[in-house]
Amino acid sequence: MKQILLYITLCCLSTMLLAQAPKKFNYQGIARNNNGTPLANQALGIRLSIINDSANGALRYRETHTVTTNGYGLYNLSVGGGTPDSNTMDSVVWAAGDKWMLVEIDPAGGSNYIAIGTSQLLSVPYALYSENSGSQGPPGSMGVMTVATFNGPIGSIASGPGFAFVGPTTILTLSPGYLRMIGSANAALGLASGSPITISTSLCYQQNGGPITNFNTGGYLVSQVSTLLTVVPASATVVLAPGTYTVGYCIANNSGVAVNNNDFVSGWILVTQ
């Protein structure tokens, strides 16, 4: 067991669920051994803990899962959908203090967990915050009109000018008073062969077949993609005029090389005042 050191690439908060829906949000990760080789098609035991205020703060909730990785070592699960080990998801007061999540894994699929790391939940589940705080939306908004998600496989991404959508998208309609879109997403990207390349990632929108536009115009994340499958995040906010928009994860790939060994994209968008 001590010879197997797992590498987890991401914590993905992808599905924000409203008060009448189950209290869950998505988590996605990649498991590798200490040589960087994916733990492909392998059953893992996973324990997730929600911690208050700091990485070493008080435990608020803990649950366990058994998942199976795909051929790239990637797995998906729903936080809040596991087997409770301590307290309940209802016991987490999202409006009180920062929240952190501890990830522990047993690569043999059992319950001899190894602590992988603790990361802050920077994208607080807004609908859960709303339910705890009594307001209708996240801090700084007057309310949430809708929450949409987009999830699915990614094909090969050709090189070309400007931003292009990656994988599935979602369609959202903005009405007067509800003109702000807040979102976050992650995509597992890689090259089948060759040297690393540089890409830019963001969230994008498109209206009536017009140009695909980055939420933040000049603001985006610049990342390297290589033969080691990597989960690349994107998060942004934009205020637009009323109308119907196609929205999703996008990249600008001006490398001259296709990003052709990809896996999955997962994301969410809030429409608020």
Side-chain angles (χ1 to χ4, degrees):
M1 178 70 69
K2 292 181 179 179
Q3 295 176 341
I4 302 177
L5 300 178
L6 299 181
Y7 171 58
I8 301 303
T9 306
L10 85 94
C11 171
C12 169
L13 303 183
S14 61
T15 305
M16 301 292 100
L17 298 167
L18 295 176
Q20 298 303 314
K23 298 179 177 65
K24 301 177 184 179
F25 57 89
N26 287 348
Y27 174 85
Q28 184 182 74
I30 294 177
R32 304 180 188 274
N33 64 19
N34 57 342
N35 294 319
T37 302
L39 300 181
N41 304 310
Q42 183 166 324
L44 305 176
I46 297 180
R47 186 165 66 182
L48 303 174
S49 301
I50 304 296
I51 299 170
N52 220 44
D53 294 328
S54 71
N56 299 313
L59 175 68
R60 288 292 176 252
Y61 172 65
R62 186 166 61 203
E63 67 182 25
T64 61
H65 295 256
T66 299
V67 300
T68 300
T69 62
N70 67 8
Y72 297 108
L74 186 143
Y75 63 90
N76 296 274
L77 55 83
S78 293
V79 180
T83 301
D85 181 73
S86 178
N87 297 326
T88 66
M89 196 68 161
D90 286 333
S91 68
V92 182
V93 182
W94 296 98
D98 294 333
K99 298 295 180 289
W100 297 68
M101 187 162 71
L102 168 65
V103 181
E104 300 171 279
I105 290 185
D106 181 353
S111 58
N112 294 316
Y113 300 109
I114 302 170
I116 301 303
T118 306
S119 57
Q120 187 176 4
L121 301 181
L122 297 179
S123 298
V124 174
Y126 288 136
L128 298 180
Y129 176 96
S130 171
E131 182 174 84
N132 289 161
S133 67
S135 67
Q136 293 184 352
S141 78
M142 295 296 292
V144 175
M145 182 178 76
T146 190
V147 183
T149 63
F150 47 95
N151 303 275
I154 305 169
S156 180
I157 306 165
S159 176
F163 280 92
F165 286 123
V166 170
T169 57
T170 189
I171 297 177
L172 290 169
T173 298
L174 305 184
S175 62
Y178 289 89
L179 302 176
R180 184 184 303 274
M181 289 192 287
I182 303 169
S184 179
N186 290 272
L189 306 175
L191 303 178
S193 61
S195 301
I197 63 171
T198 299
I199 63 168
S200 303
T201 63
S202 187
L203 295 174
C204 289
Y205 64 87
Q206 182 183 38
Q207 187 177 31
N208 300 325
I212 297 174
T213 304
N214 172 16
F215 269 33
N216 287 341
T217 309
Y220 47 80
L221 178 68
V222 177
S223 302
Q224 276 202 332
V225 176
S226 69
T227 54
L228 183 65
L229 192 73
T230 302
V231 179
V232 182
S235 61
T237 299
V238 67
V239 177
L240 299 172
T244 298
Y245 297 85
T246 299
V247 183
Y249 182 99
C250 59
I251 77 168
N253 175 18
N254 302 311
S255 67
V257 176
V259 182
N260 57 0
N261 191 28
N262 308 305
D263 190 74
F264 199 83
V265 63
S266 181
W268 57 264
I269 302 288
L270 289 169
V271 177
T272 76
Q273 292 181 335

